[in-house]
Amino acid sequence: MHHQSIAFKPLQFPFPPRLHPPNAIPSRRLFPLHLNTTAYSPCSASSSRSFHIPLPTHPPRSLPSSNSTKNAALKTVDVATLGNLCVDIVLNVPKLPPSSKGARKAIMEQLSSSPPDKQYWEAGGNCNVAIAAARLGLNCITIGYVGNEIYGKFLLDVLRDEGIRIVGMNEEADVVNSPSASHQTLLCWVLVDPLQKHGFCSPADFFEEPAFSWMSTLSEEVKRGIKRSRILFCNGYDFDELCPGLILSAVDYAIEAGTSVFFDPGPRGKSLLRGTVEEQKALRHFLRMSDVLLLTSDEVCGTSFH
C-alpha cells in the first residue's frame, strides 16, 4: 500500500539527511493548511472526499533562537522510535479466527501455551522502522519496554545485530510495584490462511488499559535519548502500550528539545477518534504539533480528523 507524507512544518535537517549536519537546526514554525480544499490531498480531484486537518487555535510556537544552536549541537542520533516494540509470530493456519473477541482470545491463549519454533519469530512494530533506518546508514535508537524473558531477549539480540541501541522506559520502582504479567514483551500473533489472508491477535487487544499503564513518567535516560535525536517517530499503536499522558509528555519534551516529531496514526487512527477523552486530546495534539504526518492514500482519502 502506498504511503503519503504530509509535512506540517519545515523539517529541521537536510534531505537526504546527513548524519552530522554542521549547521544549527532552525527553529520550527507552522505554515497554514487550507481547509475544505483538495490542494493538499493526494486523492484524485474527482474524489468527493477530502482530508480535513484542523488549524491550531493558538499562535504558532517557536523555540527561542538561543536554544537552536545548543540543541543542534546535541543531536547525535538521527532517529528515535517511541514504544511499539513487539515480537511478531507468523503462523500458517487452516482458517482465520472468528471475529468474536472471546474466540480470538481463546485461540491466542492456546497458541501462547507453548512457544513456537524461533523460525517463526520476527521483530515487529516500531522495530521495523528502526531497522529500515539503520540499514540506510542512520544512527537509530528505540525507546520502549522489552521484558526479561525469551521473547525480550530475542528482540534485544535482533536490535543489537542491526546496530540499534534500546533505551528502556521502565524504572526500578515501577518494576517492583507492578505485577509480573504486565512486564512481558508484547507479542502479536500473525495468522495466515491458505489464501494468504492475515489475522492478528495480541494480548493488547484484550487489555482494558494500556499494556504498560504502570509507566507514569519519562526517565532521565529517555529524556536524554529524545534530546539527542533529530527525529522522534511515534505511531498509533503506542496507545496500546502507553498512557496518553505519557505519550504527550514525550512529544512535548521532543518539541522543547528541538526534535522533529513524525506521527503515523495507522489503523488505530479511527479508534482514537472515537476513544477516551484523553486519547482524543492526544490525537489532536499530535495533529497540531507533528512536523510530519504519515498516512496511506486510503487513510488520507477515507478519514477526516476533526
Side-chain angles (χ1 to χ4, degrees):
M1 187 173 290
H2 300 292
H3 278 73
Q4 305 287 342
S5 301
I6 299 178
F8 286 159
K9 293 166 250 171
L11 300 183
Q12 301 180 40
F13 49 85
F15 191 84
R18 295 192 296 268
L19 294 183
H20 303 291
N23 299 324
I25 299 174
S27 298
R28 43 169 116 193
R29 57 189 183 275
L30 290 169
F31 61 86
L33 295 175
H34 303 285
L35 298 178
N36 299 320
T37 69
T38 58
Y40 291 90
S41 173
C43 307
S44 65
S46 61
S47 174
S48 61
R49 296 173 295 181
S50 60
F51 178 64
H52 305 292
I53 303 176
L55 288 175
T57 56
H58 52 76
R61 60 175 174 77
S62 61
L63 292 171
S65 57
S66 60
N67 288 340
S68 298
T69 302
K70 181 180 178 181
N71 287 331
L74 295 172
K75 304 299 183 184
T76 58
V77 175
D78 296 296
V79 180
T81 66
L82 178 68
N84 193 215
L85 303 181
C86 68
V87 174
D88 287 345
I89 302 179
V90 185
L91 298 175
N92 292 318
V93 294
K95 62 179 180 179
L96 296 181
S99 57
S100 69
K101 194 171 183 178
R104 286 192 299 112
K105 185 176 182 180
I107 291 175
M108 186 193 68
E109 291 175 346
Q110 180 182 359
L111 293 171
S112 303
S113 62
S114 179
D117 193 278
K118 283 189 177 181
Q119 64 176 311
Y120 303 112
W121 301 10
E122 297 178 359
N126 272 345
C127 296
N128 293 316
V129 176
I131 290 172
R135 291 182 181 182
L136 289 173
L138 301 181
N139 183 15
C140 301
I141 63 173
T142 58
I143 300 171
Y145 181 80
V146 175
N148 185 27
E149 16 65 358
I150 56 173
Y151 296 113
K153 293 175 182 177
F154 166 80
L155 206 53
L156 290 176
D157 287 342
V158 171
L159 294 173
R160 187 181 302 110
D161 290 345
E162 296 287 346
I164 299 166
R165 184 170 67 89
I166 183 168
V167 177
M169 295 191 72
N170 57 301
E171 296 282 357
E172 285 301 319
D174 293 323
V175 174
V176 171
N177 296 327
S178 300
S180 59
S182 66
H183 288 81
Q184 297 176 357
T185 304
L186 201 60
L187 301 181
C188 182
W189 298 87
V190 183
L191 308 179
V192 186
D193 72 5
L195 297 177
Q196 298 302 301
K197 294 181 180 179
H198 291 65
F200 304 92
C201 291
S202 171
D205 298 337
F206 309 100
F207 293 157
E208 294 183 3
E209 295 183 336
F212 309 132
S213 58
W214 45 269
M215 295 185 190
S216 58
T217 58
L218 300 176
S219 69
E220 290 304 314
E221 185 181 8
V222 168
K223 289 182 178 179
R224 284 193 296 271
I226 294 174
K227 190 173 185 178
R228 293 173 180 171
S229 301
R230 296 187 175 90
I231 295 172
L232 178 67
F233 177 87
C234 311
N235 70 20
Y237 289 114
D238 288 344
F239 290 86
D240 290 341
E241 303 177 13
L242 309 175
C243 294
L246 185 61
I247 297 173
L248 290 188
S249 295
V251 171
D252 288 341
Y253 189 80
I255 293 167
E256 179 185 339
T259 298
S260 297
V261 177
F262 282 37
F263 180 53
D264 178 4
R268 285 285 275 117
K270 290 183 179 180
S271 60
L272 291 175
L273 282 172
R274 303 184 298 270
T276 65
V277 173
E278 291 78 13
E279 288 176 337
Q280 294 179 36
K281 177 182 176 182
L283 179 61
R284 289 194 299 269
H285 196 65
F286 265 118
L287 295 178
R288 285 197 306 267
M289 310 308 279
S290 293
D291 296 275
V292 176
L293 178 64
L294 301 166
L295 300 166
T296 66
S297 56
D298 287 343
E299 289 166 349
V300 173
C301 296
T303 305
S304 178
F305 290 123
H306 295 289

